[in-house]
Amino acid sequence: MTAAGDTALGLYLAVPFCRSKCTYCNFASQVFAPARYAEYCELLARELALAAADGLAGATLTSIYWGGGTPTLLPAAGFARILQAIGDHFTLAPGLEHTVEAAPGTLPPERLDALAAGGVNRLSLGVQSFADAELRAVVRLHRAATARDDLARARAAGIANLNLDLIAGLPHQTESSWQATLDAALEAEVAHVSVYMLEVDDDSRLGAEVLASGSRYHAAAVPGDDFIAAAYELACERLEAAGIRQYEISNFARPGGESRHNLGYWLRRPYLGAGLDAHSFLTAPRPRRFANPDTLEAYLAPLRAGRLPRSAPTWLTPQAEREERYFLGLRRNAGVGMPHEPDEATQAAAAAQHLADGLLERRHGGIALSAQGRLLANRVLADFLETPLALS
Ligand code: SF4
C-alpha cells in the first residue's frame, strides 16, 4: 500500500457505448461498432493498473459504479477483464456496493448471471418512462414491458437492490401519463428512484431543438417549465407517501437504500474515475480534481502508449473547497451546517438571503433547500460561490 495516495475511495467506471443515441442525452456516449469494445476494456484495465501505480495501489474500494453509456453492452470477457484488473490492484471493502447502470433490453439471462457472479449487487435501470409513446419519441429502444421484465429477471438472478431512473418532461408527457409512470414505478417496489427534470440546453439534440423551435425530435411536444416543475413535485409527494424518501435533489430511497457511491460525491469523499470522460477527486496528499478526455481516440491513444490519459490536476484552494462544501452539500436534503467562519462571508450572505426568501430552510441545526428551493437549485447554489457562475 502506498503512503502517498488515498487509501479508501469509490471507483467510477465509464462505458461510453450505447445502442442508439437518445435525443435528450448530453453525455459523452455514442453508438460505436461492437468491434471496438474489446480494446476499450483492455485499455480501461490498463488505466486501472497505471492509476494504482500512481499512488493508489492496494487502496480499498468502498463502492464501484459502472456508468455511461450502457455498461451492460460489454461482452462478458471485457467485463471480466476489468474486474480482474480491479482485483489485481485494489482491495474490496466488505459489503462493497457494486452498481451497474443498465438500459432495459440489454440484460439477457447470461449477462445478468455474469453480473451477479462478478459481485454486482445493485442495478440502476434507465427506464425514464413507462409510456411507450414517450420512449419512442426520444429514441429509447425499450418499451415499458421490457423494463418490467428486466426488473423481475434481475431479482430472480439475485440482484434485489434496484434503482429506476425517470425523466419529468419527456415529449408527449401528460399529467395522466406521468401519473401512470409513477404508478408503475411504485408497483415495482424498488429500493431507489431517481427523478430528473428534462434539461433543455445545447448539449443534446432535443434540448438544442427546443431552443431553436425545431420539429425533428418532437421539441414541440416537450411540456413547458411549469408542467415539468409540477411533475417533479408530484413525484416528490407520491414517492414520499410510499416511504421512498427524498435524500438529494434527484434521488429518493427507502431507508438504507440510498446510493452510497453517489453520496460520496456530495460528501466530497475521494473517488477514482476510469474510462472516457471520467472525472476523479482525490484528497491525499492534497485535494485535487482531474478528468479524462471526452473523445474516444483522445482517451485511448495515451493508454496505447502506456500513459494515463487524464488532464493535469486542478489543486483545490481553500476557497474552492469551501465553495464545494456548500455547492455539493446543499444538494442533500440533510443540508449543511450554517456558515459561520470568518472566511465564509459569501456563504453567510447567501444563506441569510435565501432563508429570508424561503428557498432555504433551517434543518438539523443547519440549512437545507426548501421544496421551492429545490426547483431553483442551480440559482440558489450558485450564490454560494465566491466566483460567480455564468448561468443561462
Ligand atoms: S442510453 Fe443513456 S447514455 Fe446512452 S444515449 Fe441514452 S441517455 Fe445517453
Side-chain angles (χ1 to χ4, degrees):
M1 165 103 48
T2 174
D6 289 282
T7 55
L9 67 161
L11 176 64
Y12 176 79
L13 299 161
V15 179
F17 309 125
C18 289
R19 293 182 301 169
S20 65
K21 186 72 179 171
C22 307
T23 61
Y24 57 82
C25 181
N26 57 9
F27 300 140
S29 61
Q30 288 297 342
V31 180
F32 289 102
R36 307 215 55 181
Y37 297 177
E39 187 197 25
Y40 185 83
C41 292
E42 188 56 40
L43 291 180
L44 198 152
R46 182 176 295 175
E47 183 186 3
L48 292 173
L50 291 168
D54 190 47
L56 295 174
T60 298
L61 301 182
T62 52
S63 60
I64 301 175
Y65 192 105
W66 302 66
T70 308
T72 41
L73 291 183
L74 290 185
F79 178 68
R81 176 71 190 92
I82 295 167
L83 285 182
Q84 181 199 336
I86 293 170
D88 286 348
H89 301 291
F90 301 96
T91 305
L92 303 187
L96 168 99
E97 179 188 87
H98 191 161
T99 304
V100 170
E101 285 184 355
T106 62
L107 290 167
E110 63 277 12
R111 190 164 286 143
L112 271 171
D113 290 343
L115 295 178
V120 172
N121 51 26
R122 185 171 183 272
L123 211 56
S124 178
L125 217 56
V127 173
Q128 318 310 358
S129 168
F130 282 94
D132 287 349
E134 296 168 25
L135 295 169
R136 265 194 297 272
V138 292
V139 198
R140 294 292 309 202
L141 297 183
H142 73 275
R143 298 295 170 255
T146 326
R148 288 192 177 93
D149 280 357
D150 283 354
L151 288 166
R153 291 184 309 97
R155 286 182 165 121
I159 306 177
N161 191 358
L162 300 169
N163 169 60
L164 299 183
D165 283 350
L166 302 177
I167 298 179
L170 289 178
H172 305 295
Q173 199 167 78
T174 63
E175 188 186 338
S176 70
S177 76
W178 181 240
Q179 287 276 21
T181 283
L182 294 173
D183 287 342
L186 294 174
E187 279 161 19
E189 297 192 330
V190 289
H192 194 286
V193 179
S194 300
V195 180
Y196 300 100
M197 291 189 270
L198 183 78
E199 283 182 26
V200 175
D201 59 35
D202 275 332
D203 291 340
S204 71
R205 289 176 292 165
L206 176 58
E209 184 178 279
V210 171
L211 295 174
S213 303
S215 60
R216 186 164 169 213
Y217 302 118
H218 300 259
V222 171
D225 289 349
D226 289 349
F227 174 95
I228 294 175
Y232 170 80
E233 287 179 311
L234 180 66
C236 295
E237 285 163 21
R238 293 202 56 195
L239 292 168
E240 177 83 26
I244 306 177
R245 312 212 46 195
Q246 185 170 30
Y247 68 100
E248 193 268 347
I249 293 171
S250 304
N251 289 286
F252 306 76
R254 297 185 195 277
E258 296 84 1
S259 163
R260 279 185 262 152
H261 183 84
N262 288 338
L263 275 172
Y265 295 149
W266 306 311
L267 292 168
R268 302 185 65 247
R269 293 177 180 147
Y271 59 89
L272 174 68
L276 181 76
D277 198 31
H279 291 233
S280 299
F281 172 56
L282 297 179
T283 57
R286 285 190 293 130
R288 61 198 183 281
R289 293 187 181 273
F290 51 87
N292 283 344
D294 63 2
T295 60
L296 193 59
E297 270 314 300
Y299 168 71
L300 295 176
L303 286 165
R304 288 190 193 109
R307 286 184 285 108
L308 283 167
R310 61 180 63 158
S311 63
T314 299
W315 299 93
L316 299 191
T317 62
Q319 174 188 331
E321 290 217 81
R322 191 162 60 237
E323 291 177 331
E324 285 191 358
R325 269 200 308 278
Y326 289 95
F327 195 83
L328 296 171
L330 276 168
R331 295 188 62 87
R332 296 174 60 231
N333 282 41
V336 297
M338 185 75 187
H340 63 272
E341 299 292 339
D343 58 4
E344 295 181 319
T346 299
Q347 292 79 20
Q353 178 195 332
H354 293 307
L355 283 168
D357 64 21
L359 299 179
L360 290 175
E361 59 191 28
R362 296 265 185 188
R363 199 172 303 155
H364 308 313
I367 51 173
L369 289 170
S370 64
Q372 182 66 13
R374 281 194 287 276
L375 289 170
L376 301 169
N378 287 347
R379 206 188 95 199
V380 177
L381 298 180
D383 288 338
F384 283 78
L385 302 179
E386 291 159 48
T387 309
L389 278 182
L391 288 179
S392 55

